[in-house]
Amino acid sequence: MSERTGRPGSLLDSVKGPRDLKALGADELPRLAAEIRDLLISSTARGGGHLGPNLGVVELTIALHRVFDSPRDRILWDTGHQAYVHKMLTGRAGRFDRLRQEGGLSGYPSQAESEHDVIENSHASTALSYADGLAKAYKLRRESDRTVVAVIGDGALTGGMAWEALNNIAAHKDLPLIIVVNDNGRSYSPTIGGLASHLASLRATQRYEDMLEFVKDNLAKVPVVGSPVYDALHGVKKGIKDVLAPQVMFEDLGLKYIGLVDGHDEQAVETALRKARAFRRPVIVHVLTKKGFGYSFAENHDEDCFHSPSPFDPLTGEEKPKPHGWTNVFSQEIVRLGAERQDIVAITAAMLGPVGLIPFSEAYPDRLYDVGIAEQHALTSAAGLALGGLHPVVALYATFLNRAFDQLLMDVALHRLPVTVVLDRAGVTGDDGASHNGMWDLSILQVIPGLSLAVPRDEPRLRELLAEAVEVDDGPTVVRYPKGPVAAEIEAVGRLGEMDVLRAAPRQTGADRPEAGRAGADSDADFDADVLLVSVGPMAELCVEAAALLDAQGISATVVDPRWVKPLDEALVKAAAAHKLVAVVEDNGRVGGVGDAVARTLRDADVDVPVRTYGIPQRFLDHAKRAKILSEIGLTAQGVAREITEAVAKRSPDLENQPAR
């Protein structure tokens, strides 16, 4: 047993940081890798998480921390969900029992956790741009002893932003920047790998580069035949490389290339990284890994190699049953709509399974397009499909819509094209932390002319609103819903315009009748109560419960669900005018969302009833369960009822002395 171990047989316990890792012998590293995989499996089996990507980068991460001196050297992860092993090797292995739990480790890099975590990214294809800027900064600051390493993989090179960064990196030949392409999209091929590695080793030396420049300069001086001979020799070299390693595209950008490297051979990866580091200019190190490597259930998982499983049995690989969720409802309904309408096509951005489009792809394989991690392209391609007479349905996580705002605005809405965007994981998502909360869409979508936005409160409403959305043929539509199980079904007790009335307050007359706004305040008003609660989507159950609590305090409340929150129904103005206070409850940031839209609508109609918005505060939320976060920010029936009671009491002091009913 090693003297470094904290408990019998454990090497991982002895690694408190990269220095301890460097002290291990090469013969100890396979055992360390096995311990890391055991911890990855046991921790994600308990609480879920990104298992497959991290199983694939164990040896790669060990090599990175043995070659480079983090945090002096900066290691950037793209996407951040493949950084679990990095966390273990930088002193956090003992905290994996609380991975993605409140107060525990984040599922992504976190500056608050460690100086080794540089960027808190989980939106793909960004690390190369960070790396470009960092390397330029160190050059200007004359910190020539520092190296920037960007690890990009798991599909992130399908993102256009990554290629924009590569184009700029290639223009700066003297930046000590290493790009590790973690290619887990294919198996490692020993037939071509050995010879390709030999060529890469030869090319990744300054001696080879000097020789190449010497030959080029001297051949160019030979009259008539010099340049053609050089071109022919260069063409032969390139042709061999094309046959052996198609990744010559990187060299066509002007970037040095080392590969192919077996990503599960730690010593081979170390050797390649050391060569790249010595080169002191932008270098691509192409590493082939296998997603889910070392855990047969992940390796053989056809859908996504256990990319991000829910809790599972580590002995059988069987995932625990998931409750009937919003994604399931959409998945069923889009298949049904696809059968009714041949013009419906579906688009996803590398999220076929997570957004529920696998059944659609199986039913209509010719009508499903997975564009990779390329949300911008997804929206403009959808615009083209719509121009061609089809009705595209683009399914994304709400947080990733942010990346395609301009395309939705200028390529879809400007042309009034019938494109439906379906936003999964809208609002507070919880476990994945700040970058994944879909708390921005109800705000950013408000500014898009001609766009219609629906927010269903339960399963029947999701089905009917999706059907309504795809019927719109003169502009874009959006349907958004949260993560997790479907909310309890709430039937309407009435209808006001296109809005559902979920709770009607008792009508008041005479001295009990509240003062109304100037517009619409007549005896024919549809409602006559203290508070109009405008419930946005899945906030319906909360609002109905809050209304009951208000009633117990002597405050009458009406609850309406607009269903379509953009544009707002004109009937909302008349309803608001018959109340003392309007309260909007939404699972979105408070700034610029539905609450602000309601207030603007009432101002435009010259209705002076005050509007209060109850939503998500404009800050980046720490990871925790959705219910816990909602409770902490006051989005509960008790929290909303308490704040409304205080707001009404300030306007009507006599209410403070009324007995509870």
Side-chain angles (χ1 to χ4, degrees):
M1 182 184 73
S2 170
E3 293 179 359
R4 304 183 188 90
T5 58
R7 64 175 185 261
S10 172
L11 284 177
L12 184 56
D13 281 354
S14 71
V15 178
K16 306 303 181 185
R19 183 174 299 178
D20 296 326
L21 179 64
K22 290 179 172 69
L24 296 178
D27 60 327
E28 296 177 287
L29 300 181
R31 184 152 61 99
L32 175 65
E35 292 180 15
I36 290 172
R37 286 192 167 89
D38 286 344
L39 183 55
L40 286 172
I41 294 167
S42 62
S43 58
T44 54
R46 284 192 301 270
H50 291 95
L51 177 58
N54 286 283
L55 288 170
V57 298
V58 174
E59 289 81 9
L60 169 58
T61 310
I62 291 173
L64 284 165
H65 279 293
R66 281 172 62 85
V67 172
F68 300 101
D69 297 316
S70 178
R72 181 70 181 169
D73 293 328
R74 309 301 264 168
I75 302 175
L76 314 180
W77 296 90
D78 190 335
T79 63
H81 65 234
Q82 58 181 333
Y84 289 11
V85 186
H86 161 80
K87 289 180 181 243
M88 293 180 185
L89 298 178
T90 52
R92 287 168 277 179
R95 298 172 59 190
F96 264 72
D97 60 329
R98 299 193 64 196
L99 176 67
R100 301 170 76 245
Q101 296 181 30
E102 183 183 9
L105 287 178
S106 166
Y108 295 93
S110 169
Q111 292 178 345
E113 287 180 10
S114 173
E115 63 181 343
H116 297 280
D117 292 4
V118 185
I119 50 175
E120 304 191 5
N121 66 320
S122 58
H123 285 200
S125 312
T126 60
L128 298 188
S129 295
Y130 280 115
D132 176 57
L134 262 176
K136 288 173 180 173
Y138 294 148
K139 178 187 174 184
L140 290 173
R141 292 166 58 91
R142 293 180 171 81
E143 298 181 36
S144 59
D145 61 329
R146 307 184 76 169
T147 302
V148 179
V149 184
V151 185
I152 184 167
D154 214 29
L157 272 178
T158 60
M161 188 175 174
W163 291 95
E164 294 175 23
L166 283 171
N167 183 56
N168 281 273
I169 290 168
H172 296 270
K173 306 297 185 184
D174 56 350
L175 294 179
L177 193 164
I178 296 171
I179 300 166
V180 178
V181 177
N182 171 31
D183 184 351
N184 60 15
R186 66 179 77 178
S187 60
Y188 180 70
S189 174
T191 304
I192 64 169
L195 190 49
S197 296
H198 172 72
L199 288 177
S201 176
L202 174 64
R203 290 173 59 103
T205 64
Q206 193 59 47
R207 181 180 176 187
Y208 175 82
E209 292 301 309
D210 292 342
M211 180 190 71
L212 188 63
E213 289 300 316
F214 174 83
V215 171
K216 178 180 179 181
D217 291 342
N218 285 277
L219 276 178
K221 297 174 184 177
V222 178
V224 184
V225 299
S227 293
V229 169
Y230 173 79
D231 291 342
L233 290 174
H234 188 69
V236 169
K237 184 255 307 184
K238 293 284 285 182
I240 294 172
K241 191 68 175 178
D242 284 344
V243 172
L244 296 171
Q247 291 76 16
V248 74
M249 73 176 97
F250 294 122
E251 291 190 337
D252 289 339
L253 284 171
L255 297 165
K256 302 313 299 177
Y257 174 84
I258 298 176
L260 301 168
V261 182
D262 181 355
H264 300 301
D265 182 338
E266 195 278 337
Q267 291 297 295
V269 179
E270 270 198 47
T271 299
L273 292 175
R274 293 187 193 281
K275 289 174 181 175
R277 181 173 188 170
F279 206 66
R280 307 307 295 168
R281 63 177 292 183
V283 183
I284 296 277
V285 180
H286 190 171
V287 178
L288 292 180
T289 63
K290 186 172 184 179
K291 201 169 182 178
F293 185 79
Y295 184 50
S296 61
F297 298 114
E299 289 187 44
N300 299 321
H301 189 256
D302 291 336
E303 184 177 320
D304 61 7
C305 296
F306 270 27
H307 178 83
S308 181
S310 57
F312 62 93
D313 184 340
L315 298 179
T316 65
E318 185 176 349
E319 292 187 64
K320 296 180 180 178
K322 297 178 182 178
H324 182 57
W326 295 91
T327 306
N328 302 114
V329 178
F330 164 71
S331 182
Q332 296 167 3
E333 194 63 17
I334 192 65
V335 171
R336 187 190 69 79
L337 291 170
E340 292 182 354
R341 290 183 44 174
Q342 299 300 309
D343 64 328
I344 289 180
V345 294
I347 302 176
T348 184
M351 303 293 279
L352 184 66
V355 298
L357 282 176
I358 289 178
F360 187 92
S361 70
E362 294 171 344
Y364 320 108
D366 295 336
R367 291 156 57 190
L368 185 284
Y369 303 98
D370 187 341
V371 300
I373 302 176
E375 290 85 2
Q376 292 173 300
H377 169 70
L379 265 297
T380 304
S381 178
L385 287 163
L387 283 170
L390 301 176
H391 191 110
V393 176
V394 184
L396 306 169
Y397 280 10
T399 183
F400 298 134
L401 176 68
N402 306 350
R403 317 187 86 184
F405 169 76
D406 182 69
Q407 287 69 31
L408 183 56
L409 176 67
M410 292 299 179
D411 300 336
V412 178
L414 177 64
H415 299 97
R416 299 177 298 281
L417 293 171
V419 173
T420 295
V421 180
V422 174
L423 299 180
D424 202 328
R425 271 74 163 176
V428 171
T429 57
D431 297 338
D432 283 327
S435 63
H436 270 54
N437 288 317
M439 57 179 283
W440 322 103
D441 56 288
L442 290 181
S443 300
I444 65 176
L445 292 172
Q446 290 292 335
V447 305
I448 298 181
L451 180 141
S452 300
L453 173 56
V455 190
R457 66 179 179 270
D458 54 23
E459 179 172 343
R461 257 47 65 176
L462 173 51
R463 294 183 185 277
E464 69 183 28
L465 287 171
L466 182 62
E468 291 176 22
V470 297
E471 289 295 326
V472 176
D473 61 4
D474 59 353
T477 53
V478 176
V479 180
R480 61 103 75 173
Y481 47 81
K483 178 181 179 180
V486 180
E489 186 174 333
I490 300 177
E491 288 297 337
V493 298
R495 193 87 168 189
L496 181 63
E498 294 299 316
M499 301 189 300
D500 283 343
V501 180
L502 306 184
R503 188 181 191 276
R507 291 186 65 85
Q508 299 174 351
T509 58
D512 294 330
R513 181 187 173 110
E515 294 182 5
R518 288 190 297 276
D522 54 49
S523 59
D524 294 327
D526 298 271
F527 300 99
D528 192 358
D530 295 313
V531 178
L532 176 65
L533 264 171
V534 180
S535 166
V536 178
M539 297 290 99
E541 185 176 9
L542 180 161
C543 288
V544 171
E545 291 179 9
L549 294 173
L550 291 170
D551 187 67
Q553 297 297 318
I555 301 172
S556 57
T558 304
V559 181
V560 296
D561 172 11
R563 298 172 65 255
W564 290 92
V565 297
K566 183 182 185 305
L568 289 166
D569 197 302
E570 294 179 359
L572 182 64
V573 173
K574 188 175 183 181
H579 293 78
K580 285 184 177 180
L581 176 73
V582 176
V584 182
V585 185
E586 58 186 301
D587 189 7
N588 185 76
R590 293 181 65 247
V591 177
V594 179
D596 283 358
V598 169
R600 183 179 62 254
T601 299
L602 298 186
R603 288 196 305 271
D604 290 348
D606 201 24
V607 173
D608 60 3
V609 176
V611 178
R612 294 293 184 94
T613 301
Y614 301 95
I616 303 171
Q618 299 298 145
R619 67 171 189 263
F620 295 109
L621 304 172
D622 290 334
H623 63 279
K625 293 298 181 186
R626 173 180 163 88
K628 183 64 182 294
I629 293 175
L630 292 176
S631 177
E632 288 180 349
I633 63 178
L635 280 182
T636 64
Q638 294 81 3
V640 170
R642 180 174 58 253
E643 292 200 31
I644 291 176
T645 299
E646 293 172 358
V648 172
K650 288 177 182 177
R651 293 178 59 83
S652 304
D654 55 302
L655 284 174
E656 293 182 313
N657 302 318
Q658 287 187 9
R661 297 184 198 172

